[in-house]
Amino acid sequence: MKKSNTNAYIALVMVSFFWGTTYLASSVGVRHMHGLMLAGLRQTAAGIILISFFLLKGYRLPDKIVLSRLFIIGVMMLCLSNGLITWAMQYIPSGLCAIIVATVPIWITIFSYFMVQRTRLSPLLIVGMLVGLLGVTGIFYNYLSSLMNPAFRLGIFLTFIACISWAIGSVLTARWALKVNFLYGAGFQMLFSGIVMLITVSLMGYSFHLSAMNLQLWESLLYLIFVGSIVGYSSYVFALNNLPTSLASVYAYINPIVAVILGWLILKEQLNWTTALSCLVTLAGVYIVNVSVNKNKRKPEHSN
């Protein structure tokens, strides 16, 4: 147990840091390739690797119902979330994108209320939501002039749609509770979403030529496949299954900080006191929401 906990903490540190670095890798990659194409290649390759690993270990293919639900979850969480986020980074800074994505727990709480169970909307929960959204609003203070740019507005729109899609996909995952190995199921989600994104971007008129791959694009793609998808997701699942959910969710507070700092240091993105303070306010709001949700979960246990 002690060794398992130690490994779980190591996994949590890995996902907290490495998932934050994927914003940088995606920002570099979309300089050379359409975001949906980059995300599609990433998820397809990672999905093939994971599925092949489990098939070689003797796993059977899931039944049709499980596969259909993995398809829906994959499209919601990876195609309409990761894909749109990667696309959005063609138009907005990676740090800004990461801070907006940090509000996902708030969206999950909202959709859980309507789709799973109508938990009590406590004053603490409402305060947390308002604080989180206030933080995001404060960040836009530095981008008032950029909001006049249609491409920038498209990037913001895509990011918010991505947050909502990830939240709905997360709620469906919890609601369906599919009886399949988490990583094996994730492999199918990645493969399905990757294929959908590659078909979609092809219908949009974008094509992929191997000759167009330069060193930066190869580095970005390989990093996203192995570090972002395989190592990152594996670490997340391991931490989630060996640590309390409230502790495993710590990664959500660290990812945007890593993304903002790397964007500032390497990509020369804007970082000032307004951005830093707004980022902290957003994360504080998300923390309050998580605390409130955890309190609501524990209440029935204490009343018995």
Side-chain angles (χ1 to χ4, degrees):
M1 177 65 72
K2 187 174 182 180
K3 183 178 179 181
S4 178
N5 281 343
T6 300
N7 290 337
Y9 283 113
I10 294 173
L12 180 58
V13 170
M14 290 176 66
V15 71
S16 297
F17 177 74
F18 286 123
W19 266 4
T21 65
T22 57
Y23 290 92
L24 171 63
S26 295
S27 288
V28 172
V30 296
R31 293 177 178 179
H32 310 283
M33 176 183 286
H34 192 281
L36 280 183
M37 181 73 75
L38 180 65
L41 290 173
R42 166 193 177 178
Q43 302 298 354
T44 301
I48 291 173
I49 292 171
L50 280 176
I51 292 172
S52 299
F53 172 78
F54 281 98
L55 288 177
L56 289 173
K57 287 187 66 176
Y59 278 66
R60 295 182 178 181
L61 288 174
D63 60 45
K64 292 181 180 179
I65 294 178
V66 172
L67 284 175
S68 64
R69 290 184 172 182
L70 287 172
F71 176 84
I72 294 171
I73 294 171
V75 169
M76 294 300 300
M77 297 187 70
L78 297 177
C79 181
L80 292 177
S81 183
N82 176 261
L84 294 188
I85 287 171
T86 309
W87 184 6
M89 279 188 277
Q90 293 180 213
Y91 311 117
I92 64 175
S94 61
L96 173 61
C97 184
I99 295 170
I100 296 175
V101 172
T103 64
V104 161
I106 295 177
W107 295 105
I108 290 177
T109 301
I110 292 172
F111 286 105
S112 294
Y113 178 80
F114 290 103
M115 296 173 63
V116 181
Q117 182 179 359
R118 289 181 177 271
T119 55
R120 187 173 66 88
L121 293 178
S122 66
L124 186 64
L125 180 62
I126 295 173
V127 168
M129 290 182 177
L130 292 176
V131 170
L133 296 177
L134 178 64
V136 173
T137 303
I139 293 166
F140 286 116
Y141 177 80
N142 291 321
Y143 297 97
L144 291 178
S145 59
S146 299
L147 288 172
M148 302 303 293
N149 183 347
F152 185 88
R153 292 200 301 270
L154 174 60
I156 297 299
F157 175 75
L158 291 173
T159 307
F160 274 111
I161 294 298
C163 291
I164 293 171
S165 298
W166 182 274
I168 295 175
S170 298
V171 173
L172 288 176
T173 300
R175 186 175 183 177
W176 283 336
L178 301 178
K179 294 181 179 179
V180 61
N181 180 284
F182 286 105
L183 284 179
Y184 190 35
F188 284 101
Q189 292 173 26
M190 292 175 186
L191 179 61
F192 292 148
S193 66
I195 292 173
V196 169
M197 285 187 278
L198 291 179
I199 292 174
T200 301
V201 77
S202 297
L203 293 175
M204 292 169 61
Y206 294 93
S207 57
F208 169 70
H209 301 286
L210 195 61
S211 59
M213 295 284 289
N214 56 39
L215 181 60
Q216 272 197 342
L217 185 51
W218 272 115
E219 290 173 343
S220 169
L221 184 58
L222 291 174
Y223 188 89
L224 290 170
I225 291 171
F226 290 100
V227 178
S229 292
I230 297 177
V231 175
Y233 195 82
S234 300
S235 299
Y236 173 63
V237 170
F238 186 79
L240 197 61
N241 282 274
N242 289 277
L243 295 173
T245 304
S246 57
L247 180 57
S249 66
V250 165
Y251 83 92
Y253 308 114
I254 301 175
N255 283 174
I257 296 174
V258 172
V260 169
I261 292 175
L262 289 178
W264 172 60
L265 287 175
I266 299 175
L267 301 178
K268 308 303 178 185
E269 293 179 355
Q270 179 175 282
L271 178 60
N272 52 33
W273 285 108
T274 305
T275 302
L277 182 61
S278 298
C279 178
L280 293 177
V281 170
T282 302
L283 295 178
V286 173
Y287 174 76
I288 294 171
V289 168
N290 280 338
V291 169
S292 177
V293 170
N294 289 330
K295 280 186 176 180
N296 284 337
K297 288 179 179 178
R298 288 194 296 266
K299 277 186 179 180
E301 298 175 7
H302 294 309
S303 61
N304 290 334

